[in-house]
Amino acid sequence: MRSRHAKPSSLPGRILARFFLVAFGFLLGAALFTPWGKIWAHALTSLDESHPMFGLRWDSIDRDGPLGFRINGFKITVADTPGSLAFRHAYVSVGFSPLAHVRLDTGGAQCELELHRNGVFAFEGDLNLTSLLGGADFKGDLRVAGNFFLPGGATLPQKGWLDLRSQQLLLPDGKAIEDLAFTAEIHDRNLDVRDFSIRQPLTIKATGAGLVDPANFYHTTFALKGDMTIGQRSIPYELKGTLGDAVLR
């Protein structure tokens, strides 16, 4: 007769433990021996081919695994636009919410970017302009923040906002701009410039509007109106042109 105090069989527990050990071993082997670098490189290539307005280039991929990787020598180009945006490293982590988190390194200054499944991407951080613009003669750090909605298949954000600030920027001609601020809202192709201001060498404060050219970003037009202070005197300030005129001249 079986004792009422006999211990129940541990066979189901042993089977369950072995199942979890086998599953863990399989997942560990997959994580260690799957060529994640090639998989992520293929994913970046597919992303590059699906967005003809933008070009993605990189030197190498390392620190790769199932949940992230690092891109070395990462460059982004825009169609019909000279130059490129250069990042020393881009650290990518994938997940569910957000879909991806990217930390962009421009030589010390870093900016973080989040990509969401609904087409929203948000960013905030600092960019070293000399490194970002591929060794250009611009010097200084630019503080950036923004939030855009870019649905699938769209080449431009449908809505969003952008904020740029810098305590000091050195231009190629050697001149310095101090306390630069630029804030704008985006609605389809329309830019609503809420604030454009500079403290030095001239004190300028203005607002305005712009129209984005989806075929060539440098052909984006803008018109600003406000005040310019010279000494103790304030006079009307007005500026019209294209983004190419303002950046490349």
Side-chain angles (χ1 to χ4, degrees), residues 112-172:
E112 296 190 357
L113 168 69
E114 289 187 349
L115 299 153
H116 298 266
R117 293 181 181 274
N118 60 359
V120 171
F121 66 97
F123 53 91
E124 183 175 3
D126 298 310
L127 300 172
N128 181 301
L129 287 186
T130 301
S131 179
L132 178 70
L133 300 178
D137 292 331
F138 289 91
K139 292 181 175 62
D141 286 348
L142 189 66
R143 181 72 179 178
V144 300
N147 188 299
F148 294 139
F149 172 58
L150 185 66
T155 58
L156 292 172
Q158 287 191 353
K159 61 180 179 179
W161 59 272
L162 174 67
D163 187 87
L164 307 175
R165 297 181 184 274
S166 179
Q167 293 184 346
Q168 185 181 72
L169 294 179
L170 296 179
L171 304 181

Side-chain angles (χ1 to χ4, degrees), residues 148-199:
F148 294 139
F149 172 58
L150 185 66
T155 58
L156 292 172
Q158 287 191 353
K159 61 180 179 179
W161 59 272
L162 174 67
D163 187 87
L164 307 175
R165 297 181 184 274
S166 179
Q167 293 184 346
Q168 185 181 72
L169 294 179
L170 296 179
L171 304 181
D173 60 4
K175 294 180 180 178
I177 293 178
E178 296 184 5
D179 293 337
L180 167 70
F182 176 85
T183 303
E185 291 187 4
I186 300 172
H187 303 278
D188 295 322
R189 292 181 57 196
N190 298 303
L191 288 177
D192 180 10
V193 182
R194 297 297 185 90
D195 176 41
F196 171 72
S197 59
I198 298 173
R199 186 176 64 85

Side-chain angles (χ1 to χ4, degrees), residues 14-195:
R14 292 199 300 271
I15 293 175
L16 188 62
R18 290 179 180 177
F19 171 78
F20 280 117
L21 285 174
V22 171
F24 176 76
F26 174 78
L27 293 175
L28 181 61
L32 291 176
F33 298 108
T34 297
W36 294 109
K38 294 182 179 179
I39 292 175
W40 294 126
H42 178 71
L44 285 174
T45 300
S46 299
L47 180 64
D48 176 49
E49 293 174 348
S50 64
H51 291 80
M53 281 289 295
F54 302 94
L56 305 180
R57 300 291 181 270
W58 59 92
D59 295 335
S60 63
I61 293 176
D62 60 11
R63 300 187 184 181
D64 48 295
L67 299 179
F69 56 99
R70 183 178 72 172
I71 311 172
N72 303 305
F74 187 46
K75 293 182 176 62
I76 302 176
T77 59
V78 181
D80 300 318
T81 302
S84 63
L85 301 180
F87 303 93
R88 294 190 180 182
H89 305 288
Y91 301 86
V92 182
S93 300
V94 297
F96 294 98
S97 181
L99 183 63
H101 178 273
V102 183
R103 180 162 54 89
L104 299 167
D105 177 9
T106 56
Q110 299 191 5
C111 179
E112 296 190 357
L113 168 69
E114 289 187 349
L115 299 153
H116 298 266
R117 293 181 181 274
N118 60 359
V120 171
F121 66 97
F123 53 91
E124 183 175 3
D126 298 310
L127 300 172
N128 181 301
L129 287 186
T130 301
S131 179
L132 178 70
L133 300 178
D137 292 331
F138 289 91
K139 292 181 175 62
D141 286 348
L142 189 66
R143 181 72 179 178
V144 300
N147 188 299
F148 294 139
F149 172 58
L150 185 66
T155 58
L156 292 172
Q158 287 191 353
K159 61 180 179 179
W161 59 272
L162 174 67
D163 187 87
L164 307 175
R165 297 181 184 274
S166 179
Q167 293 184 346
Q168 185 181 72
L169 294 179
L170 296 179
L171 304 181
D173 60 4
K175 294 180 180 178
I177 293 178
E178 296 184 5
D179 293 337
L180 167 70
F182 176 85
T183 303
E185 291 187 4
I186 300 172
H187 303 278
D188 295 322
R189 292 181 57 196
N190 298 303
L191 288 177
D192 180 10
V193 182
R194 297 297 185 90
D195 176 41

